[in-house]
């Protein structure tokens, strides 16, 4: 594989990710700039994805589901297989949502895009490009037209999408600092890797509390990082405190790394700035650090 990452703007990688025996096609970005963290596949999303597929998936069937910080959409893809009545995949980054919409299309899941109160259809065969000019400049891949790389990935996805059960899927911008006056309550809220240095933990806690239905549950997975004196505000403890202050009952569980493998999709053309190259078939490999530990927060409203 020829790579010129030091010369290219971005490095896009289409991979087949296998979690709990389920396969997903994910287009993500290995290299990114500050503020574009949502375009990368993070280990916490694999842990939450595994949890959905093996434990909590039955809770999603026929229910209203909201994902915060959906990123490249792995957990949303897993959730769609359990046919929720409504699946809202949100992120604060238009660049991340553009990539999320592409991944939904690669896996054969049609979706609509809610933008400024307007819902627009998005075909599963023709991913919708970003209409946000600044987001397009910040992520060169967001305006790519379907080419050989997408045709190859589409052929591969036809073998994977058969087990997907698609409900009503919507993608939209949602920033934690904005608390709308009218909110459609979610019976299940999902989130992975939302706790990090510089994250708006106060806004995150307010968003969870503001969107969670009275009989709902929020599942938030975060890596277990050392709290450190220099960043106590970006810790799981801070999120627990914020949720508790808003009246939610919070339980914490410790989880190990997900048993997940990934491999690059063969014969996928990758655009690298002015260069193009072809990746050959690669064997599946374990994703991430198998010794990593994660925190799963389960937040609910106390019983009356």
């Amino acid at each position: 594989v020829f790579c010129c990452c030091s010369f290219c703007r971005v490095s896009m990688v289409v991979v087949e990710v296998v979690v709990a025996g389920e396969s997903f096609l994910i287009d993500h970005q290995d290299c990114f700039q500050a503020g574009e963290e949502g375009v990368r596949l993070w280990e916490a999303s694999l842990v939450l994805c595994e949890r959905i597929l093996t434990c909590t998936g039955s809770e999603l069937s026929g229910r209203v589901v909201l994902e915060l910080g959906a990123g490249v959409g792995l957990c949303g893809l897993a959730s769609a297989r359990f046919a929720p009545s409504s699946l809202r995949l949100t992120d604060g980054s238009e660049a991340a949502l553009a990539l999320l919409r592409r991944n939904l299309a690669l896996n054969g899941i049609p979706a609509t895009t809610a933008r400024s109160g307007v819902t627009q259809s998005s075909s599963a065969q023709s991913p919708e490009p970003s209409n946000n000019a600044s987001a397009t400049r910040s992520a060169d891949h967001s305006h790519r037209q379907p080419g050989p790389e997408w045709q190859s990935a589409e052929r591969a996805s036809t073998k994977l999408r058969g087990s997907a059960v698609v409900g009503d899927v919507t993608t939209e911008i949602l920033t934690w600092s904005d608390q709308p006056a009218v909110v459609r309550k979610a019976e299940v809220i999902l989130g992975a890797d939302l706790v990090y240095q510089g994250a708006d933990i106060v806004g995150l806690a307010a968003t969870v509390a503001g969107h969670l239905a009275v009989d709902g549950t929020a599942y938030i997975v975060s890596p277990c990082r050392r709290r450190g004196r220099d960043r106590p505000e970006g810790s799981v403890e801070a999120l627990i405190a914020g949720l508790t202050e808003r009246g939610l009952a919070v339980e914490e569980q410790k989880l190990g790394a997900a048993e997940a493998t990934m491999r690059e999709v063969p014969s996928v053309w990758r655009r690298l700035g002015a260069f193009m190259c072809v990746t050959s078939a690669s064997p599946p490999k374990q994703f991430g650090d198998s010794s990593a530990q994660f925190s799963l927060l389960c937040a609910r409203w106390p019983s009356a």
Side-chain angles (χ1 to χ4, degrees):
V1 178
F2 172 74
C3 183
C4 54
C5 290
S6 59
F7 301 100
C8 66
R9 176 69 175 83
V10 294
S11 175
M12 301 301 300
V13 182
V14 179
V15 295
E16 178 188 359
V17 180
V18 179
V19 183
E22 296 287 336
S23 298
F24 307 90
L25 284 179
I26 298 294
D27 190 354
H28 72 120
Q29 187 173 321
D30 274 345
C31 307
F32 57 88
Q33 296 183 343
E36 297 180 1
E37 292 83 0
V39 299
R40 185 183 187 278
L41 181 61
W42 296 97
E43 292 182 59
S45 64
L46 292 168
V47 175
L48 180 56
C49 177
E50 184 179 62
R51 185 81 179 184
I52 292 169
L53 293 172
T54 61
C55 298
T56 61
S58 60
E59 298 180 30
L60 311 185
S61 299
R63 309 190 81 189
V64 178
V65 179
L66 166 67
E67 183 178 5
L68 304 176
V72 298
L74 177 62
C75 297
L77 292 173
S79 299
R81 299 193 175 189
F82 294 92
S85 62
S86 174
L87 176 59
R88 294 173 57 207
L89 306 177
T90 69
D91 202 285
S93 165
E94 182 61 42
L97 283 184
L99 195 53
L100 166 59
R101 291 191 287 270
R102 292 189 182 278
N103 285 330
L104 289 171
L106 283 175
N107 290 270
I109 298 179
T112 56
T113 301
R115 183 180 290 116
S116 299
V118 178
T119 301
Q120 301 175 339
S121 296
S122 176
S123 168
Q125 283 70 38
S126 301
E128 178 188 351
S130 169
N131 292 330
N132 185 296
S134 62
T136 301
R137 288 193 297 269
S138 67
D140 294 346
H141 65 271
S142 63
H143 65 278
R144 289 193 305 173
Q145 297 299 316
E149 72 277 21
W150 297 107
Q151 295 169 7
S152 175
E154 274 292 325
R155 287 195 295 271
S157 72
T158 59
K159 298 183 296 183
L160 306 178
R161 66 179 62 166
S163 59
V165 179
V166 182
D168 177 23
V169 183
T170 304
T171 64
E172 62 183 278
I173 286 285
L174 177 63
T175 57
W176 305 336
S177 59
D178 298 331
Q179 301 300 324
V182 179
V183 174
R184 183 183 182 187
K185 300 293 185 177
E187 295 165 293
V188 179
I189 294 180
L190 304 171
D193 217 337
L194 306 181
V195 177
Y196 52 88
Q197 185 174 7
D200 181 9
I201 300 299
V202 173
L204 172 58
T207 299
V208 172
H211 286 78
L212 187 62
V214 65
D215 58 345
T217 305
Y219 298 98
I220 301 175
V221 174
S222 307
C224 292
R225 303 184 178 100
R226 291 185 177 181
R227 181 171 179 175
R229 296 180 179 178
D230 59 333
R231 56 185 183 97
E233 72 286 350
S235 66
V236 172
E237 290 84 354
L239 178 56
I240 293 174
L243 295 172
T244 302
E245 288 174 2
R246 287 165 176 77
L248 288 163
V250 183
E251 298 178 1
E252 182 180 13
Q253 302 177 36
K254 298 298 183 182
L255 303 176
E259 293 187 7
T261 61
M262 62 180 291
R263 68 178 183 90
E264 290 192 21
V265 177
S267 302
V268 173
W269 286 88
R270 296 165 61 193
R271 299 179 185 274
L272 301 175
F275 300 91
M276 296 186 72
C277 65
V278 175
T279 62
S280 58
S282 60
K285 60 181 180 180
Q286 184 71 28
F287 185 93
D289 180 6
S290 60
S291 64
Q293 294 291 308
F294 297 84
S295 167
L296 168 64
L297 300 184
C298 302
R300 304 178 178 88
W301 296 110
S303 301

